[in-house]
Amino acid sequence: MESNDEYFKWSAFAKRQAKFSLVIGAGVLIFWNSVAIGEWAYALFGGELKGYGPPQQRWHRVLAMGFVGMYIVGTVLGIINMWRYRKYPALYDDE
């Protein structure tokens, strides 16, 4: 585990956020296109996905946008926490 001095650098924060952004981005893309992915998977085995269309895809896209919203809130809280630590490091001193 890295020390607080290394963990609370803006470069370390950007690196963590970049990794997290890739994971969130992949999840959003999968949710956003989940009906098309399901149709493709069924077609691979000669099946047909019936009963799924725009209404179901709409809810998958609502979930995807929920993940985007949670990501934005988490990033803003992380920025506030990073700024506060950088401004008042003595408050976080556990020694």
Side-chain angles (χ1 to χ4, degrees):
M1 176 96 186
E2 58 190 336
S3 68
N4 273 354
D5 292 335
E6 292 295 318
Y7 187 81
F8 285 103
K9 285 186 175 179
W10 286 111
S11 59
F13 176 76
K15 187 177 177 182
R16 287 191 305 273
Q17 284 303 109
K19 290 178 186 176
F20 191 54
S21 297
L22 290 174
V23 173
I24 291 294
V28 166
L29 284 174
I30 288 171
F31 268 114
W32 195 265
N33 299 309
S34 59
V35 172
I37 292 170
E39 288 174 350
W40 173 79
Y42 268 76
L44 276 177
F45 300 103
E48 185 178 344
L49 188 62
K50 294 183 179 184
Y52 277 84
Q56 288 77 16
Q57 189 163 3
R58 183 179 316 122
W59 285 110
H60 292 210
R61 289 183 176 182
V62 166
L63 284 172
M65 294 312 296
F67 282 116
V68 170
M70 288 187 293
Y71 170 76
I72 290 170
V73 168
T75 299
V76 168
L77 290 175
I79 289 170
I80 292 169
N81 187 38
M82 177 70 73
W83 168 79
R84 187 169 187 268
Y85 177 82
R86 302 286 292 174
K87 188 168 182 173
Y88 307 109
L91 294 175
Y92 292 82
D93 191 11
D94 291 337
E95 295 177 10

